[in-house]
Amino acid sequence: QGLGVIADRDLEIGSAAIIVPRNAQLHADSEELHPASSKLAASAAKLLVDSSNPAVAAKFEESALAVALLSELSLLRGNSCKGGQEDGIDIHARTDTPSYYAAYLESLPSMAEMPPAAWLWDHDRLESEVTAELAAAARALRLQIETELVALENAGLTALASGDAFTQEQWRGARALVL
């Protein structure tokens, strides 16, 4: 759809087509994250890895990345950060560039632009359009992602770098992007 890479030679299975340096990648523990995003992602990772729910604990890295992604995206929306200090760090400090990852974040598709994942489908569509096995897997993934959200909400870990809290719809969108 207009984006892609074409190899000018044969590539063997397992060989690298491109190597992206780690500091150019967005990770939940990236040093380039806004301090508030970094703190939120670390807190979310700890909460979820310590979860009594094995499905949630096993996916804590994906969830922490989704939280970091939402927090960094919130900086691009132009919302003013609310002041705050923690451990001597201004966790809502603004810089000239709202996010180190601004160009990347701006290139991400919106939920409307992404093909709808089966785990986001309603019950009737799941039952009529896919196999029972895929429907069960989609329901399990939806339950896991909803359980993650409830755990984050209950722990008060929904405040983004902008000072706003993320919504259920934003959470689903971030999890869809990460997946």
Side-chain angles (χ1 to χ4, degrees):
Q1 296 188 3
L3 299 175
V5 175
I6 298 174
D8 62 1
R9 61 182 167 76
D10 289 339
L11 296 174
E12 294 182 30
I13 293 174
S15 64
I18 185 170
I19 298 172
V20 178
R22 181 168 171 82
N23 69 350
Q25 301 171 26
L26 177 58
H27 294 273
D29 62 353
S30 294
E31 291 180 15
E32 294 81 7
L33 288 174
H34 185 281
S37 299
S38 181
K39 181 176 178 7
L40 179 62
S43 297
K46 178 167 179 20
L47 172 76
L48 296 171
V49 79
D50 292 344
S51 170
S52 60
N53 183 325
V56 170
K59 300 295 183 182
F60 79 94
E61 290 174 320
E62 290 178 4
S63 304
L65 177 56
V67 167
L69 182 68
L70 282 171
S71 190
E72 292 293 297
L73 281 167
S74 77
L75 295 171
L76 299 182
R77 294 188 191 117
N79 300 330
S80 62
C81 291
K82 297 172 176 68
Q85 289 262 332
E86 280 195 28
D87 301 326
I89 300 170
D90 183 1
I91 61 169
H92 298 297
R94 281 288 198 161
T95 60
D96 290 340
T97 304
S99 172
Y100 175 84
Y101 298 100
Y104 168 69
L105 296 170
E106 289 170 348
S107 75
L108 294 174
S110 68
M111 280 292 282
E113 296 169 323
M114 289 191 292
W119 66 272
L120 292 167
W121 294 359
D122 64 38
H123 175 76
D124 292 338
R125 183 173 180 194
L126 263 180
E127 297 305 315
S128 66
E129 294 188 27
V130 299
T131 65
E133 184 179 33
L134 180 56
R139 283 191 299 273
L141 181 57
R142 181 174 40 227
L143 178 61
Q144 171 207 317
I145 290 170
E146 288 172 0
T147 302
E148 293 166 355
L149 177 60
V150 169
L152 293 168
E153 287 173 336
N154 289 343
L157 295 176
T158 60
L160 304 170
S162 65
D164 296 324
F166 62 83
T167 65
Q168 180 181 32
E169 187 63 26
Q170 289 170 323
W171 176 247
R172 287 180 176 169
R175 287 301 273 119
L177 282 169
V178 170
L179 289 170

